[in-house]
């Protein structure tokens, strides 16, 4: 009779232990090579790491590194913290860190990175003027990964003065990708306990000089406004100033934000400001006087650009709400629109004011009577026939009549919508 084979526990697990030991030995060899390697060697190792491991989960990375991937993460983070100011392989470092931080299923690597001061280092990278925009974009992406991990991680970024660092990066960067990534991160940080800090930071950014940054700031503010649920009065002045931008996309976003703010406590201040912009003061025109180069094409005066944008915004607002129309009438908007129509130094201001006035004339008979009297029969008939092109046929005498108008429509008249003339 054949004796059965008996397998001991030691014999059963021997191949497993051998496999694990070999895997650990291979990883330790990799780490020794890293520790002894120069910049070029480490750059090559990071490139290989990225090629093999992008998109891997936590468990897949642990399997790849024999359950000791944290040892490589610690080395990578330490090297970045020591060398980021010089930009040494920084893009490779950040992308490799992204593999760890993006690993799904657990926040194990994320917690280790944070414990090593990772957030502060990423925020410091954003403030280094000598670093490339592409490196700052990668740092912003890592911060976005951290913010997406949950509210407590967003708070950690904000408590580390992250809002200020990201906002300054948005304002100073010249790269579109960096600015868009920064704006997205700021919007993400606002969905938490630090929404007011983000909101105030964005208002401060409205005075930056980059048109692309201004556009992104205005878009983000419009998204955040319903979340914040209140509007600060210091948003009004910089917002109205953006209407004098040479960039139509900035003017458009400013108008869209003004529309959103009509539901908040700054409504009356904004409307008063828009009406005032229709009649710029001589001091305002002199203050923003353009130093023209004889060899260059003549530029539009910023104040007149603002005048045209204000007239266009008023037209958009009045077409959307009768209540706003009446508020504007009470602020003397008809007198100011007539004045803007007489500005022959800026045809677009004339055109936009004419279109806005047309809305009031067709909506309120009493306004029609006052405007007819202010313009005179001939000019008024031309206005009613084609308001948009009126400025093309306007002579200097007619323009001066509009500039010197003293039209005033009393409140009682347009509230009742009954035609009446008051002298």
């Amino acid at each position: 009779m054949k004796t059965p084979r008996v397998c001991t526990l030691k014999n059963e697990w021997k191949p497993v232990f051998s496999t694990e030991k070999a895997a650990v030995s291979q990883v330790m060899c990799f780490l020794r090579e890293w520790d002894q390697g120069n910049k070029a060697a480490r750059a090559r190792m990071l490139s290989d790491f990225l090629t093999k491991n992008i998109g891997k989960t936590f468990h897949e990375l642990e399997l790849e590194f024999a359950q000791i991937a944290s040892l490589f993460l610690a080395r990578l983070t330490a090297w970045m913290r020591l060398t980021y100011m010089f930009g040494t392989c920084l893009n490779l470092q950040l992308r490799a860190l992204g593999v760890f931080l993006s690993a799904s299923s657990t926040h194990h690597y994320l917690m280790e990175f944070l414990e090593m001061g990772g957030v502060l280092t990423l925020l410091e990278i954003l403030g280094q003027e000598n670093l490339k925009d592409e490196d700052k974009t990668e740092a912003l992406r890592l911060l976005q990964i951290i913010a997406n991990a949950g509210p407590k991680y967003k708070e950690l970024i904000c408590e580390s003065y992250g809002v200020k660092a990201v906002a300054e990066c948005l304002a100073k960067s010249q790269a579109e990708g960096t600015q868009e990534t920064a704006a997205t991160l700021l919007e993400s940080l606002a969905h938490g306990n630090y929404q007011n800090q983000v909101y105030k930071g964005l208002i401060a950014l409205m005075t930056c000089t980059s048109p692309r940054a201004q556009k992104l700031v205005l878009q983000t503010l419009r998204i955040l406004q319903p979340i914040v649920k209140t509007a600060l009065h210091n948003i009004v002045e910089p917002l109205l100033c953006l209407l004098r931008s040479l960039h139509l996309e900035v003017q458009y976003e400013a108008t869209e934000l003004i529309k959103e703010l009509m539901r908040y406590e700054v409504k009356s201040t904004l409307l008063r400001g828009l009406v005032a912009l229709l009649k710029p003061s001589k001091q305002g025109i002199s203050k923003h006087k353009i130093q023209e180069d004889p060899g260059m094409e003549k530029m539009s005066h910023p104040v007149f650009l603002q005048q045209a944008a204000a007239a266009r915004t008023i037209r958009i607002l009045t077409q959307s709400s009768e209540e706003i129309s009446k508020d504007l009438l009470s602020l003397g908007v008809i007198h100011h629109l007539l004045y803007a129509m007489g500005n022959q130094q800026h045809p677009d201001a004339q055109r936009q004011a004419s279109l806005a006035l047309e809305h009031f004339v067709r909506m309120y008979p009493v306004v029609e009577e006052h405007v007819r009297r202010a313009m005179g029969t001939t000019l008024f008939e031309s206005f009613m026939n084609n308001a948009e092109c009126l400025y093309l046929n306007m002579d200097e005498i007619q323009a001066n009549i509009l500039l010197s108008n003293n039209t005033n429509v009393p409140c009682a008249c347009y509230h009742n919508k009954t035609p009446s003339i008051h002298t």
Side-chain angles (χ1 to χ4, degrees):
M1 185 174 175
K2 204 170 184 182
T3 305
R5 186 172 72 88
V6 179
C7 293
T8 64
L9 183 63
K10 181 178 179 180
N11 290 333
E12 288 288 341
W13 285 95
K14 186 174 180 180
V16 177
F17 286 140
S18 298
T19 303
E20 289 181 354
K21 185 176 180 180
V24 171
S25 176
Q26 186 177 359
V27 173
M28 294 307 295
C29 180
F30 173 84
L31 294 177
R32 277 195 299 273
E33 184 182 354
W34 175 272
D35 293 340
Q36 296 169 6
N38 57 19
K39 181 176 72 172
R42 290 185 176 185
R44 174 185 52 78
M45 295 173 74
L46 285 179
S47 295
D48 291 342
F49 172 80
L50 288 167
T51 301
K52 296 176 182 177
N53 298 292
I54 286 178
K56 285 190 175 181
T57 65
F58 169 79
H59 297 293
E60 289 170 335
L61 285 172
E62 285 297 294
L63 184 62
E64 177 76 18
F65 282 84
Q67 312 302 315
I68 54 174
S70 294
L71 294 179
F72 181 48
L73 173 60
R75 284 166 166 76
L76 176 57
T77 305
W79 190 38
M80 180 191 69
R81 294 191 66 193
L82 288 171
T83 61
Y84 74 88
M85 287 185 291
F86 310 106
T88 305
C89 301
L90 183 56
N91 195 262
L92 281 172
Q93 293 171 346
L94 293 168
R95 288 165 57 204
L97 285 168
V99 172
F100 283 105
L101 299 185
S102 300
S104 58
S105 307
T106 177
H107 291 161
H108 181 79
Y109 296 141
L110 175 58
M111 294 301 298
E112 291 181 352
F113 181 70
L114 298 181
E115 288 170 1
M116 290 182 279
V119 165
L120 287 175
T121 304
L122 293 176
L123 292 173
E124 287 170 4
I125 288 172
L126 301 182
Q128 299 296 312
E129 295 184 1
N130 61 306
L131 296 182
K132 298 177 182 178
D133 276 311
E134 62 185 26
D135 296 336
K136 294 180 181 181
T137 302
E138 287 298 329
L140 288 165
R141 286 173 181 160
L142 295 188
L143 288 166
Q144 184 68 68
I145 292 170
I146 296 170
N148 290 343
K152 67 178 181 180
Y153 300 102
K154 291 179 183 177
E155 290 181 9
L156 175 61
I157 295 173
C158 293
E159 289 168 0
S160 304
Y161 301 98
V163 173
K164 183 175 183 291
V166 177
E168 289 180 352
C169 180
L170 170 58
K172 295 178 180 179
S173 175
Q174 299 300 313
E176 184 176 356
T178 305
Q179 290 179 319
E180 290 179 351
T181 309
T184 301
L185 179 55
L186 285 173
E187 181 188 339
S188 176
L189 294 175
H191 293 270
N193 296 330
Y194 287 82
Q195 58 184 222
N196 288 330
Q197 186 182 88
V198 176
Y199 184 67
K200 292 176 182 177
L202 286 168
I203 292 175
L205 278 183
M206 293 170 75
T207 58
C208 71
T209 56
S210 166
R212 191 185 299 114
Q214 291 171 345
K215 174 186 173 182
L216 290 168
V217 167
L218 291 167
Q219 289 175 337
T220 309
L221 277 169
R222 182 155 52 93
I223 293 170
L224 297 188
Q225 191 58 62
I227 299 172
V228 177
K229 297 179 181 178
T230 186
L232 299 179
H233 281 276
N234 64 346
I235 196 175
V236 174
E237 184 177 352
L239 178 54
L240 293 177
C241 283
L242 288 177
L243 291 177
R244 70 170 67 119
S245 173
L246 292 169
H247 301 268
L248 293 179
E249 65 273 18
V250 175
Q251 289 189 20
Y252 170 81
E253 293 298 339
T255 298
E256 290 298 303
L257 181 54
I258 290 171
K259 285 167 59 179
E260 175 65 30
L261 290 170
M262 288 297 102
R263 299 186 289 128
Y264 297 88
E265 52 269 55
V266 295
K267 172 186 174 183
S268 60
T269 308
L270 274 171
L271 293 179
R272 194 176 300 110
L274 286 171
V275 172
L277 293 178
L278 296 173
K279 192 175 180 179
S281 64
K282 291 181 180 179
Q283 293 85 348
I285 296 173
S286 300
K287 180 180 178 182
H288 299 282
K289 186 176 181 180
I290 300 173
Q291 298 296 325
E292 295 181 4
D293 186 335
M296 294 179 63
E297 185 178 346
K298 186 176 180 180
M299 294 177 63
S300 298
H301 198 293
V303 171
F304 295 153
L305 286 171
Q306 192 178 29
Q307 182 187 46
R312 183 177 60 253
T313 303
I314 286 172
R315 174 170 57 86
I316 292 170
L317 292 175
T318 55
Q319 289 174 345
S320 65
S321 169
E322 184 178 355
E323 179 186 349
I324 292 176
S325 296
K326 291 180 178 179
D327 289 339
L328 287 165
L329 285 170
S330 69
L331 294 170
V333 71
I334 302 303
H335 163 73
H336 288 77
L337 286 172
L338 286 167
Y339 180 91
M341 286 174 64
N343 180 14
Q344 292 188 302
Q345 296 181 68
H346 194 68
D348 191 48
Q350 292 181 288
R351 174 175 167 271
Q352 296 296 342
S354 186
L355 289 171
L357 183 63
E358 182 185 24
H359 170 79
F360 287 102
V361 167
R362 297 191 184 280
M363 187 170 183
Y364 299 99
V366 65
V367 173
E368 178 182 353
E369 294 299 325
H370 280 81
V371 171
R372 183 193 298 274
R373 172 173 287 188
M375 288 186 176
T377 304
T378 303
L379 185 61
F380 182 76
E381 288 178 355
S382 298
F383 167 73
M384 294 301 289
N385 183 52
N386 191 342
E388 186 171 7
C389 297
L390 179 68
Y391 71 96
L392 294 173
N393 302 313
M394 187 182 298
D395 59 36
E396 187 175 350
I397 295 175
Q398 291 171 326
N400 287 330
I401 289 173
L402 295 177
L403 289 171
S404 60
N405 88 91
N406 57 1
T407 304
N408 177 38
V409 184
C411 283
C413 298
Y414 54 78
H415 276 294
N416 296 326
K417 287 193 178 183
T418 55
S420 172
I421 296 179
H422 294 258
T423 56

